[in-house]
Amino acid sequence: MEYKFKYICARIYFIRMQAESILIFIVITLSVLIFFAHQRFKQLITLALLAVIAVITTIWSITVFNDGFNTPVIRHISLSGSGGLILTIDKLSAFFILVINLTCINGLLFAGGYLKHYYTRKKGLNISIHFFAYLFLYISMLLVVMVREGLAFLIAWEIMAIASFLLVIFDAEERQILKTGISYLVQMHIGMFFLLIAFLIVEKDTGMLGFDALKYYFKEGHHLAVFILFLAGFGIKAGLIPFHTWLPEAHPAAPSHVSGVMSGVMIKMGIYGILRVVFQMQNDLFAAGLITLAISLLSGLFGVMMAILQHDIKKLLAYHSIENIGIIGMGVGIGMLGVSYNNQSMIFLGFGGGILHILNHSLFKSLLFFSSGNVYQASQTRNIELLGGLMKRMPYTSVFFLVGSLAICGLPPLNGFISEYLIYSGMFSNLSGLDFKGSVIVVMAIAGLALIGGLAIFCFTKAFGITFLGEARTKQAEEASERDREMLIPQLIPVIFIAAIGIAPSLFVKPVMDLIAGNLSLTGSGPIVTPENGSLANISLISGFFVVILTAILIFRHLHLRNVPVKKEPTWGCGYGVYNPRMQYTSTSFAYNYNHLAKPVTGTKKDINEIGEEEIFPSERSFATHTGDPVKESIIDKPVEWSWFVLKKLAVMQTGKIQHYILYAFIFMLAALLLTYLKII
């Protein structure tokens, strides 16, 4: 009887695996329908196909999280039921799957409204390629977090790069966008080259190609150089300094729903790779943690410092992606230092804060990019200097952007506060128990994170104030109007999660702590997280009380004003009888003092023709400031300019005469023969 029961269970499991494989193959096959469907149905077909995979992978993820242990779910994607592509879903993979599913479904919902006005401007093939690439970006990201074998992982990594490239160049009619897309693709391939070298080095020592080989490779000896190769390869995708240069260009070039997905989850694939490597490391954790912490701190500071100076709202948000990747990296770095010191509070709170911030950032950053998409479509500009007064014309978008701004600044009672609170707690925990070197490192990290938070508040005060408050600066802003429900409802979804994590953080923190315990083979998160659970419970109570009070005030205001005549007047003009939008702060003037202090880092340049002493009646003048990316200028622009100069000099060899080309070949063979004879090669 027992044998029959086991046989039946095994048979059901086999049939279920076959059904899942068949469903996935059907989805991939039916994806070609996107090219044949009518414009109005392309998004719906993509959404339906994506939803099928999302349901299957979500079930896998929930199964893993419901397991008290870190037992992975293994799936063989094959029509025969065995062999084929092997997918391994542990709690780390499951966490990323849930984040990918939520963000990609929401992004596709927003795309339905955002792309409407493109249907008359773009050919059907362009729209088809866009949705097809979106679907395969989603599938490739899922494969990245589920595949452990090295070659299959790199293939999925490459599909992810190509699909996102096609999404970035959606408006490739603009030459600059096409150049941006090519630059992005080149840098992604450089990152893959680093990963390939690292995997090959591991294979040479272990005979295995993939993540499963890392636990054997890192078990003996010191392999910090290989970790740095992985950090560089994954860091390019994540946007860590100095590998960030593609990010501030690609995000503004892409449509807003693509920017939300790229910033919300795609760059986190780099963080996934770093975590997958870190969780296998057994030596050099102090040095590796220190490197990770230092690069992440620099990324956070540089990202927020550059964001403050941007006038393009999407470029501003792109630099904040670098900042938040830095915050995530700081949590990972603190966790690594905790492992090296065998300090479980630092381990759980550092890694926990960093991993939770992955989810948090995906929520508020996608929300902010969607809101900026609303602003762009309503005003046809991303330059906040040309906006103003949009809160009167776009009230829902304004509220959504405000919620995202408060969350990204780490202010209670929203989700950004919770993950940053955990990272702070990880740094403060047992600070007195560390040695002098460790204490200095942690204190510097605390100061750096506090500075990042303060600058983020300054930046979003500017971004929200200049864009949505005051009076309209241009006719574009005056004529802006609220977007329809198709573009507003997808923004409500992340708002709900942002509030839920802020008000009930324990529900989201506990699974993250279990994830860490499982991947690091720790005894359990209970004894470590219990003190923080008390704090989190208090945070929940205070946040809930705040929400209740705020709701009561708003209801009272509504009831009070319902029967009272309300007069609407122009925004107060500070005593001026005739108000002019030019009296308001501009983006440049708001950040003028900061710009002056940060000039040694940001390298801001002024474009102005100074008035000479001899000019009694000065002519009309203009003033502008230009802020480039000093890291990009030094590590990319200058080498490219030098290479271009050398290639132009070498172009003299292109004479068009066949005898010269035969001579070049002869010289090459002669040189090769000589070097071989001298045993140089």
Side-chain angles (χ1 to χ4, degrees), residues 117-155:
H117 79 286
Y118 283 97
Y119 291 161
T120 55
R121 294 167 44 193
K122 294 271 188 183
K123 294 179 180 178
L125 181 61
N126 296 112
I127 302 296
S128 299
I129 291 173
H130 184 77
F131 282 121
F132 187 81
Y134 189 98
L135 178 63
F136 274 85
L137 173 63
Y138 167 71
I139 293 171
S140 64
M141 288 192 292
L142 290 178
L143 289 175
V144 162
V145 300
M146 292 191 288
V147 171
R148 300 290 182 87
E149 198 275 324
L151 182 59
F153 174 83
L154 291 174
I155 291 171

Side-chain angles (χ1 to χ4, degrees), residues 271-500:
I271 299 297
Y272 166 80
I274 292 170
L275 286 169
R276 185 62 74 190
V277 173
V278 165
F279 284 152
Q280 303 298 331
M281 291 184 69
Q282 299 166 50
N283 299 299
D284 301 312
L285 277 158
F286 180 83
L290 187 58
I291 292 169
T292 304
L293 184 60
I295 291 175
S296 300
L297 179 57
L298 288 174
S299 299
L301 285 171
F302 183 81
V304 72
M305 289 178 72
M306 292 299 297
I308 292 171
L309 302 175
Q310 305 307 313
H311 303 324
D312 184 323
I313 191 167
K314 287 186 71 178
K315 200 165 187 177
L316 179 150
L317 295 176
Y319 272 110
H320 271 288
S321 294
I322 298 170
E323 172 224 334
N324 280 273
I325 286 294
I327 293 173
I328 294 167
M330 289 180 70
V332 174
I334 291 297
M336 294 169 73
L337 291 177
V339 176
S340 69
Y341 282 109
N342 196 25
N343 184 323
Q344 291 206 358
S345 293
M346 289 180 70
I347 294 171
F348 278 103
L349 296 172
F351 280 126
I355 293 172
L356 183 62
H357 203 72
I358 292 169
L359 170 61
N360 289 342
H361 180 251
S362 73
L363 293 168
F364 55 65
K365 185 51 67 70
S366 59
L367 173 63
L368 288 167
F369 269 118
F370 296 164
S371 299
S372 69
N374 285 7
V375 170
Y376 173 69
Q377 287 211 343
S379 63
Q380 293 303 302
T381 182
R382 299 195 307 260
N383 188 345
I384 63 177
E385 298 276 28
L386 304 179
L387 299 171
L390 293 185
M391 198 160 194
K392 304 181 186 73
R393 298 162 181 84
M394 305 176 70
Y396 296 112
T397 298
S398 302
V399 171
F400 289 144
F401 194 92
L402 179 60
V403 171
S405 300
L406 294 172
I408 199 173
C409 292
L411 297 175
L414 302 176
N415 64 343
F417 171 76
I418 302 301
S419 48
E420 291 192 30
Y421 169 78
L422 290 176
I423 295 172
Y424 273 119
S425 299
M427 291 190 286
F428 277 109
S429 65
N430 297 326
L431 183 60
S432 59
L434 299 176
D435 57 22
F436 177 75
K437 181 169 57 176
S439 299
V440 169
I441 292 168
V442 171
V443 167
M444 290 178 66
I446 291 169
L449 187 55
L451 181 58
I452 290 169
L455 291 174
I457 293 172
F458 178 79
C459 182
F460 277 94
T461 302
K462 181 195 89 165
F464 183 80
I466 302 298
T467 304
F468 294 100
L469 303 182
E471 292 294 328
R473 294 173 174 80
T474 60
K475 189 176 181 181
Q476 301 160 263
E478 281 182 1
E479 296 176 351
S481 61
E482 187 60 270
R483 301 294 88 191
D484 57 28
R485 284 180 295 179
E486 279 186 280
M487 295 176 67
L488 293 175
I489 291 174
Q491 296 177 69
L492 185 60
I493 296 170
V495 167
I496 293 169
F497 279 95
I498 286 169

